[in-house]
Amino acid sequence: MSLLQSLLRLTNFRSPLLRTIVPSVSAAFAIQAAFAIPSIIAQSDRFYDFSGSVTYLAVTALSLYLPALRARAAGSTLPLPGLLEAFKNGGGALNWRQVLLSGCAGVWAARLGSYLFQRVLQEGKDSRFDKIKTSPPRFLVAFMVQAMWVSLCLMPVMAVNAIPAAAFGTGLKLTDVLGLGLYVGGLGFEVVADRQKSKWMKEKREKQHDEEFLTRGLWSKSRHPNYFGESTLWTGIATASAGVLLSRPVQGALALSPLTAISLCAVSPAFVTFLLFKVSGIPLSEEKYDKKFGNRKDFQEWKKNTPKFFPKLF
């Protein structure tokens, strides 16, 4: 019996939800541990963000294809279901919402991961880990926190991917449109903010300006527009997922109560926003800039007139 067959058998719970979530979350921690070991030995943070993207993509794909993998492990010779088949009449083994939401998570992870990896290659290091990477226990915790981050962010996607295809209803829901709109708007906000910052940094390196901090574009509307975009896009994924998980056929198929369904979706944007506000996002950035520019009048003016998170309209 192969390792994959053993793992699938060990996680072959009666509940479709557990059959998807337990192996997917286990994979997240295993992948992060595999990246953590050489990073700790080398005391290098170069592949930290890259490992996060790899984990997002791998866990998303695993949760989407677990039913097919279980069938193949049991002896089925049928090919893995095609992604495009889900959008045709009948839908096949996958529902279009499963493919769409998995794709949304994958696009975000690939985009952010490549951006952060390119940035750390240019700068040579990530200042967040200057004090952490020399301590193996603390550096290991950072990787495990990233595994938890992946698991909780993807919880609504994993829950939707656990739904048997036959339990999905037909037709478009209001939550589908609202959720996708929030996702597109949030992703667009994050992408534009990151590009504006990258362009500003490039121009600074080329001595096209002597500005010490960025106050143009979206950064004149919010002090952290990239983080606002990230929180918004995960709220969109959670909204679209909740609309599916709250339907009666799906609750019956997964044995979910409405409260559990809402909790599985809400944990994603709630955890993202908590991290951004209390852990590794806004606090580190604000502390860094306060130390460097806190005594400057122009910085204090920008900080006073620019909202921390939610962008001002005018």
Side-chain angles (χ1 to χ4, degrees):
M1 184 182 296
S2 69
L3 177 61
L4 176 61
Q5 288 175 317
S6 300
L7 291 173
L8 292 175
R9 177 168 291 186
L10 283 172
T11 57
N12 193 25
F13 302 102
R14 177 176 296 181
S15 164
L17 190 63
L18 291 179
R19 282 204 304 269
T20 298
I21 289 179
V22 172
S24 299
V25 170
S26 300
F29 280 88
I31 295 170
Q32 283 298 291
F35 275 97
I37 293 171
S39 296
I40 290 171
I41 293 173
Q43 293 188 0
S44 172
D45 53 39
R46 179 162 294 188
F47 294 99
Y48 182 82
D49 290 313
F50 175 77
S51 73
S53 291
V54 169
T55 306
Y56 265 106
L57 294 171
V59 171
T60 300
L62 177 62
S63 68
L64 186 64
Y65 278 107
L66 264 173
L69 292 174
R70 291 189 187 279
R72 289 175 71 88
S76 173
T77 58
L78 293 175
L80 294 176
L83 299 179
L84 295 180
E85 292 295 320
F87 296 92
K88 298 179 180 179
N89 290 334
L94 296 174
N95 181 267
W96 66 268
R97 288 186 181 88
Q98 294 173 316
V99 176
L100 183 61
L101 290 174
S102 296
C104 286
V107 166
W108 171 83
R111 201 287 309 178
L112 183 64
S114 60
Y115 168 76
L116 293 176
F117 187 54
Q118 184 180 26
R119 188 177 71 178
V120 77
L121 288 179
Q122 289 177 343
E123 298 183 3
K125 66 173 186 175
D126 189 332
S127 59
R128 294 176 299 171
F129 299 102
D130 288 345
K131 297 179 180 179
I132 296 177
K133 61 187 178 185
T134 56
S135 169
R138 293 178 66 189
F139 205 16
L140 177 62
V141 168
F143 279 93
M144 294 302 101
V145 169
Q146 184 155 252
M148 183 184 300
W149 172 52
V150 172
S151 301
L152 292 181
C153 281
L154 286 178
M155 194 61 66
V157 177
M158 291 188 288
V160 170
N161 287 344
I163 303 170
F168 285 92
T170 58
L172 201 64
K173 296 175 178 287
L174 177 60
T175 48
D176 296 326
V177 177
L178 179 59
L180 185 59
L182 287 170
Y183 171 82
V184 172
L187 181 65
F189 216 86
E190 184 178 44
V191 169
V192 171
D194 284 342
R195 287 184 177 178
Q196 288 176 346
K197 188 168 187 177
S198 293
K199 181 182 178 182
W200 179 85
M201 292 175 68
K202 180 175 181 292
E203 291 173 347
K204 183 174 177 62
R205 288 194 298 269
E206 295 173 351
K207 302 188 184 304
Q208 296 183 31
H209 65 77
D210 58 358
E211 300 169 4
E212 293 292 342
F213 48 91
L214 176 59
T215 61
R216 298 186 242 142
L218 293 181
W219 300 83
S220 68
K221 305 296 182 181
S222 167
R223 301 208 299 271
H224 304 281
N226 50 339
Y227 296 150
F228 170 77
E230 184 168 336
S231 179
T232 301
L233 71 88
W234 284 112
T235 300
I237 290 177
T239 300
S241 301
V244 180
L245 292 171
L246 286 172
S247 68
R248 288 188 178 182
V250 169
Q251 289 183 21
L254 298 184
L256 285 180
S257 68
L259 180 59
T260 302
I262 292 174
S263 299
L264 287 171
C265 297
V267 68
S268 174
F271 188 67
V272 168
T273 306
F274 170 77
L275 285 180
L276 294 177
F277 268 86
K278 298 296 183 181
V279 184
S280 65
I282 293 174
L284 292 180
S285 180
E286 295 270 307
E287 180 182 3
K288 174 183 175 181
Y289 281 95
D290 282 344
K291 282 184 178 180
K292 291 182 68 174
F293 311 118
N295 60 345
R296 290 180 50 158
K297 186 177 179 180
D298 54 350
F299 176 76
Q300 291 297 335
E301 284 292 320
W302 172 72
K303 190 171 181 180
K304 177 182 177 181
N305 297 321
T306 308
K308 178 186 290 188
F309 188 71
F310 291 102
K312 59 184 178 181
L313 298 178
F314 304 103

